[in-house]
């Protein structure tokens, strides 16, 4: 049997970082994933998936991700049950992440970062005429 899941979505809130009694980092967050199928009204639908990540990955997620961050999660699905305060049992299905990939550049996370539009990009190909390349040197 196989239990693998790969998801790409945006965090709905800042990750919550906690530590176990033995000082192991654990972070949890919710991913919003837009479905490709629209509902009967033509509106896009979104699925919300709870994710838990452990150890150094948890520290990294808490440090580098914020609400709205685009991430890729590779992990497995786990179902757990617990007892609510009122004594009723509840069941939760969540993803236990084995890895979390940050899919946006860091600068995208910085609000109001200004990029000057009047600057020309650097042209590093100005002196390519001095390179002597024969057809025998090319791999194709």
């Amino acid at each position: 049997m196989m239990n693998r899941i790969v998801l790409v979505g945006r965090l709905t809130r800042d990750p919550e970082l906690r530590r176990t009694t033995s000082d192991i980092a654990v972070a949890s967050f919710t991913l919003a994933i837009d479905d490709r199928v629209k509902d009967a009204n033509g509106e896009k639908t979104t699925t919300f998936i709870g994710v838990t990540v452990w150890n150094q990955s948890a520290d990294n997620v808490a440090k580098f991700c914020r609400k709205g961050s685009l991430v890729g999660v590779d992990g497995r699905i786990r179902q757990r049950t617990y007892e609510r305060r009122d004594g009723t049992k509840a069941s939760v299905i969540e993803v236990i992440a084995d890895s979390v990939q940050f899919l946006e550049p860091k600068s995208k996370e910085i609000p109001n970062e200004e990029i000057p539009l009047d600057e020309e990009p650097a042209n590093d190909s100005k002196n390519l005429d001095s390179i002597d390349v024969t057809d025998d040197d090319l791999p194709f």
Side-chain angles (χ1 to χ4, degrees):
M1 295 194 205
M2 182 186 294
N3 183 359
R4 294 299 310 155
I5 188 163
V6 176
L7 302 168
V8 174
R10 294 195 180 274
L11 275 69
T12 62
R13 58 184 165 82
D14 289 351
E16 180 184 330
L17 180 65
R18 302 173 309 282
R19 297 223 173 253
T20 65
T21 54
S22 54
D23 202 38
I24 296 172
V26 56
S28 57
F29 56 91
T30 301
L31 264 187
I33 303 164
D34 289 339
D35 298 330
R36 292 181 183 217
V37 182
K38 295 184 178 185
D39 67 9
N41 297 326
E43 301 286 325
K44 71 177 182 177
T45 57
T46 304
T47 301
F48 299 94
I49 307 284
V51 179
T52 301
V53 61
W54 294 84
N55 300 314
Q56 185 63 46
S57 294
D59 286 326
N60 289 338
V61 165
K63 183 176 181 181
F64 296 111
C65 294
R66 296 288 169 259
K67 178 180 178 179
S69 295
L70 182 66
V71 298
V73 172
D74 178 24
R76 61 193 185 284
I77 294 176
R78 178 181 74 173
Q79 181 178 14
R80 63 181 171 87
T81 57
Y82 66 95
E83 192 171 308
R84 294 183 179 132
R85 291 182 183 171
D86 64 3
T88 60
K89 288 192 176 186
S91 178
V92 175
I93 295 177
E94 62 188 346
V95 172
I96 305 300
D98 294 325
S99 69
V100 178
Q101 302 293 316
F102 309 138
L103 300 178
E104 291 180 314
K106 218 167 40 165
S107 64
K108 183 114 177 147
E109 306 265 334
I110 301 170
N112 300 324
E113 181 178 350
E114 293 185 23
I115 301 172
L117 298 176
D118 57 348
E119 289 183 18
E120 258 187 64
N123 187 356
D124 296 334
S125 61
K126 291 179 182 174
N127 295 325
L128 293 180
D129 294 335
S130 64
I131 300 174
D132 185 26
V133 177
T134 64
D135 288 339
D136 294 337
D137 294 333
L138 299 175
F140 48 89

